[in-house]
Amino acid sequence: MYDFTYARVSSVADAAKQLKGDDDAKAVAGGMTLIPTLKLRLAKPSALVDLGGVKDLAGIKVDGKTVTIGAMTTHGAVAASAEVKKAIPALAHLAAHIGDPAVRNRGTIGGSVANNDPAADYPAGVLALGATIVTNERQIAADDFFKGMFETALKPGELITAISFPVPEKAAYMKFPNPASRYAMVGVFVAKTAGGVRVAVTGAAPSVFRQKDMEAALTKKWAPDAIEGIKQKQDGLNSDIHASAEYRAHLVGVMAKRAVQAAG
Ligand SMILES: Cc1cc2nc3c(=O)[nH]c(=O)nc-3n(C[C@H](O)[C@H](O)[C@H](O)COP(=O)(O)OP(=O)(O)OC[C@H]3O[C@@H](n4cnc5c(N)ncnc54)[C@H](O)[C@@H]3O)c2cc1C
């Protein structure tokens, strides 16, 4: 690790103050990604601002047709939440299949979404459900948030405080996990929402994306066979030691059909 200063804050305002004016300062949430990155000397932050003591940032609220999850809520808490299981079971299922118990007990929804790892699960749920990312400065629609590999619309020092999910009519998430890490080789989240059908794919490309051909077909007919003939293009998909672009393209179709089947 390189040297850095460390501050544990107790409010979002304090955190924002510590981060302001220093583009090399970083917030730390669960530390599941950031700490290994520091250990490997892949990042050299000047300061770490620990959000662990900001009580307001953790928790789940259900208000009518909206589920709002605080940024510091762990994957384990989302997976175990009776309210999330009732309102958006697909989201609880997604959280329950992230990594291993240690990762689920430390990793947070805010950290996962801010990090925008190409193989992370939450970005698929956030995009398919048409969620809103709430920060200490503004509200950002999911469609405007994910910009590219590890890149989001967040400005330096801007903090996610919560994510609001509209409750869908139907939804499901299916992933083909990397057997070592459980990250998604390909994961597909399908949702029938008040704003229409949305299909989001993670793991396959440098960043999560919507599969518009499948959305159009599922809008006409919500059934696995409606997307039977739709082939995901290989162009721009990831090819690495885990899977080729061709294999990932094939998995998009398989996972999408399984997700529609599971959504019912
Ligand atoms: C072994 C292993 C297996 C994993 N498997 C999976 C998996 O199967 N699926 C999956 O989706 N993920 C997986 N993960 C990732 C994990 O789930 C965490 O979500 C992820 O590491 C980031 O969350 P965190 O709370 O640990 O964030 P941190 O590591 O603390 O931070 C990550 C980044 O987000 C920024 N950040 C954190 N919180 C905020 C905030 N509120 N506002 C703005 N920026 C913020 C930090 O500055 C940093 O840049 C795995 C991780 C490990 C180590």
Side-chain angles (χ1 to χ4, degrees):
M1 286 197 191
Y2 298 101
D3 285 348
F4 53 83
T5 62
Y6 172 86
R8 188 170 165 88
V9 292
S10 55
S11 72
V12 175
D14 273 356
K17 207 164 129 192
Q18 296 275 350
L19 292 166
K20 200 175 170 186
D22 181 356
D23 288 1
D24 293 330
K26 277 204 162 289
V28 59
M32 289 288 99
T33 292
L34 189 53
I35 300 302
T37 309
L38 299 188
K39 283 184 176 171
L40 293 168
R41 294 192 156 206
L42 295 172
K44 195 179 176 185
S46 54
L48 283 194
V49 178
D50 188 345
L51 303 178
V54 187
K55 297 283 170 266
D56 300 352
L57 286 180
I60 297 165
K61 277 185 221 133
V62 180
D63 181 10
K65 288 278 176 196
T66 306
V67 176
T68 301
I69 304 180
M72 287 297 289
T73 311
T74 63
H75 312 325
V78 174
S81 162
E83 286 173 305
V84 179
K85 282 186 195 168
K86 189 169 171 220
I88 317 180
L91 200 58
H93 169 89
L94 176 152
H97 290 83
I98 292 175
D100 51 44
V103 169
R104 291 195 290 276
N105 280 312
R106 292 286 314 169
T108 67
I109 189 168
S112 175
V113 172
N115 198 45
N116 193 20
D117 188 298
D121 297 295
Y122 266 126
V126 168
L127 189 59
L129 291 165
T132 301
I133 294 90
V134 184
T135 80
N136 57 331
E137 298 182 17
R138 59 196 166 132
Q139 302 206 344
I140 309 168
D143 283 320
D144 301 326
F145 186 80
F146 301 104
K147 297 290 188 192
M149 189 186 274
F150 296 110
E151 200 189 332
T152 68
L154 290 174
K155 293 182 281 180
E158 186 173 8
L159 289 167
I160 298 177
T161 55
I163 309 209
S164 282
F165 296 90
V167 174
E169 204 180 300
K170 291 168 189 246
Y173 178 63
M174 284 288 151
K175 82 165 157 177
F176 190 91
N178 179 312
S181 68
R182 318 311 287 173
Y183 272 108
M185 297 251 267
V186 167
V188 181
F189 201 114
V190 300
K192 200 173 192 185
T193 74
V197 171
R198 295 169 67 100
V199 177
V201 179
T202 190
S207 182
V208 65
F209 65 93
R210 283 175 66 185
Q211 221 299 353
K212 300 272 174 109
D213 294 340
M214 290 185 182
E215 291 181 359
L218 290 169
T219 301
K220 286 191 197 134
K221 183 186 173 195
W222 181 268
D225 64 5
I227 50 175
E228 184 67 52
I230 297 176
K231 297 263 176 280
Q232 169 64 47
K233 289 194 183 73
Q234 291 177 38
D235 297 355
L237 295 196
N238 299 333
S239 249
D240 53 31
I241 54 165
H242 305 298
S244 64
E246 182 187 9
Y247 188 60
R248 282 191 163 92
H250 173 70
L251 282 179
V252 172
V254 176
M255 292 302 118
K257 274 186 282 175
R258 287 187 191 170
V260 178
Q261 182 79 50

